[in-house]
Amino acid sequence: MWLLVAREPRPDAPDWPGRRVLAAVDAIVWPLLWVLLIQHAPEPVGLVGPFVTAMAVLLGLGRLHRAIWVNQRYWFTTWRWGKVMAAMLLIGAVLKVTMTA
């Protein structure tokens, strides 16, 4: 038996001055980081390198379009992964303190 659940669409992001510019920077930086990461791989990557580069460019263009022209639907990647990294750093710091105590 299949059970289909329709979720409500995510609400629009709040609008504030400078959001478009920061969203455009966020939309460009993340795919650029993926391209730089694959270009500086320690081992030869073969066909994976050009494929990842092409996908990063295509996805980056879509993200840039959404960041500039459909800004209310753009959500910051840096904010999302920044929260995850902050949580991991906090857990690591707590573990370090408990291991030395």
Side-chain angles (χ1 to χ4, degrees):
M1 174 200 272
W2 287 89
L3 177 65
L4 298 177
V5 178
R7 291 189 297 173
E8 289 290 324
R10 201 170 184 186
D12 288 348
D15 190 25
W16 39 271
R19 187 178 198 285
R20 248 179 243 283
V21 174
L22 286 177
V25 170
D26 185 71
I28 292 172
V29 167
W30 282 97
L32 183 64
L33 287 175
W34 279 105
V35 170
L36 290 175
L37 183 73
I38 202 73
Q39 295 292 328
H40 289 62
E43 299 289 327
V45 291
L47 284 175
V48 173
F51 178 76
V52 169
T53 301
M55 288 303 295
V57 169
L58 287 174
L59 293 173
L61 288 174
R63 289 169 51 90
L64 185 62
H65 173 268
R66 192 168 56 246
I68 294 174
W69 287 285
V70 195
N71 190 263
Q72 72 275 9
R73 302 304 299 162
Y74 185 81
W75 294 92
F76 287 93
T77 305
T78 304
W79 179 247
R80 177 182 179 183
W81 290 107
K83 289 187 292 188
V84 172
M85 291 303 294
M88 291 174 66
L89 285 171
L90 179 65
I91 291 169
V94 168
L95 286 173
K96 188 174 184 177
V97 167
T98 58
M99 295 298 275
T100 58

